[in-house]
Amino acid sequence: MRFRLVCLIAIVVSGVAGAADERHAMTGVVLSIDRPARSMVVSTDAVPGFMAAMAMAVDVRDLAALDALQPGNRIAFVYVGDGKAWHAENVRVRGFEPLDRKQLELQRLKVLSGIANPAAAGQAVAIGQRVPDFTLTDQVGQRVMLSGLSGKVVALTFGYVRCPNPAYCFRLASNLGQLQKQLKDRVGRDVVLLTIVLDPEHDQRQALLDYARVWTTEPQAWHFLTGPAPEVKRVAGYFGVESWKDEGGIVHSLNTAVIDRQGRLAANLEGSVFTADQLKDLVQTVLKRP
């Protein structure tokens, strides 16, 4: 009888312990990493029935997992806790998620180009490195130098006026448009937005001005930049962006970069599956740096 009672207690305790830990699959964008504290700050996607999308600090017990991360990474992880203490397990960077066949082809070409011409592949700026200076011309004919924006945080993306796919240029521009609204007291003062057009042959003068007016009434806060094709290509290469002409349009990499007040690359978001709120969280994180 006593043996049966001990076994029953053991089974009950085991069942309670097993039920105590919650596990939730989560995704988000890394905002910052604190290796000494074994933690990261993530702008998470919503998890139905568990939590809304938010920027939150997450403990990570595996230091090797933190070493593999950098700001701007889209990640997936399992959030484990007992209601009191929580931590992330199985943290992994999510690879690029092509939206269609042409984007998949572009990614393959980028890999082959890197193998065939490693010097060109090495042109891309790494996180934490200073972005080389460049000068391009905006929608009102003003010459804009990156070094002239020192002291401000820069959010930068790419596109072209005639882009037919709303998941490409429109989505990236829309993210900056929402950032302009969400940080309206800071955009133009502490934050500057840049869109570099990848079709300088067509995106000039009135066409560029008309396109810019769709998105902003403040050309000093959001510059739509163009220039000679070789210079545009060189600048795009700093952010790992490649493009080619295809069936009358342009197929190009989808990248959104954030540059800190000292002109260093703080993050480089690849693709367009992140949200405008996650971009805002990332920009605000960079704004808070000393």
Side-chain angles (χ1 to χ4, degrees), residues 86-206:
W86 294 81
H87 67 278
E89 292 182 357
N90 193 24
V91 181
R92 61 198 185 279
V93 177
R94 300 182 69 178
F96 177 73
E97 301 166 5
L99 300 175
D100 60 22
R101 176 182 57 81
K102 289 183 178 180
Q103 280 293 311
L104 182 59
E105 289 176 357
L106 178 57
Q107 290 303 113
R108 290 171 177 167
L109 285 172
K110 286 180 68 174
V111 172
L112 292 174
S113 176
I115 295 172
N117 188 3
Q123 179 187 13
V125 177
I127 302 298
Q129 289 184 342
R130 187 177 296 277
V131 179
D133 200 14
F134 60 82
T135 303
L136 294 170
T137 303
D138 73 4
Q139 66 267 34
V140 296
Q142 175 184 348
R143 289 174 63 80
V144 177
M145 296 179 64
L146 180 63
S147 59
L149 304 177
S150 177
K152 296 179 173 62
V153 172
V154 176
L156 175 154
T157 192
F158 297 83
Y160 70 105
V161 171
R162 299 176 300 132
C163 180
N165 193 323
Y168 292 170
C169 306
F170 181 88
R171 175 70 178 272
L172 299 183
S174 178
N175 286 336
L176 292 193
Q178 292 183 61
L179 184 66
Q180 180 179 232
K181 293 178 180 178
Q182 293 168 328
L183 301 181
K184 61 182 180 180
D185 294 334
R186 307 201 73 171
V187 171
R189 181 168 59 88
D190 297 317
V191 180
V192 174
L193 311 180
L194 304 180
T195 294
I196 298 177
V197 295
L198 295 168
D199 188 12
E201 179 183 352
H202 296 96
D203 297 347
Q204 296 182 7
R205 302 181 180 87
Q206 195 62 43

Side-chain angles (χ1 to χ4, degrees), residues 188-237:
R189 181 168 59 88
D190 297 317
V191 180
V192 174
L193 311 180
L194 304 180
T195 294
I196 298 177
V197 295
L198 295 168
D199 188 12
E201 179 183 352
H202 296 96
D203 297 347
Q204 296 182 7
R205 302 181 180 87
Q206 195 62 43
L208 185 60
L209 182 59
D210 290 342
Y211 182 68
R213 284 172 174 164
V214 171
W215 297 105
T216 186
T217 58
E218 301 182 45
Q220 297 306 312
W222 189 348
H223 303 275
F224 288 74
L225 300 173
T226 187
E231 179 66 3
V232 169
K233 183 176 182 178
R234 180 177 72 89
V235 174

Side-chain angles (χ1 to χ4, degrees), residues 1 4 45 82 86 116 126 139 206 236 251-252 261 266 289-290:
M1 182 69 179
R4 290 181 180 177
D45 298 306
D82 58 6
W86 294 81
Q139 66 267 34
Q206 195 62 43
V251 177
H252 62 91
R261 298 178 189 272
R289 292 181 182 177

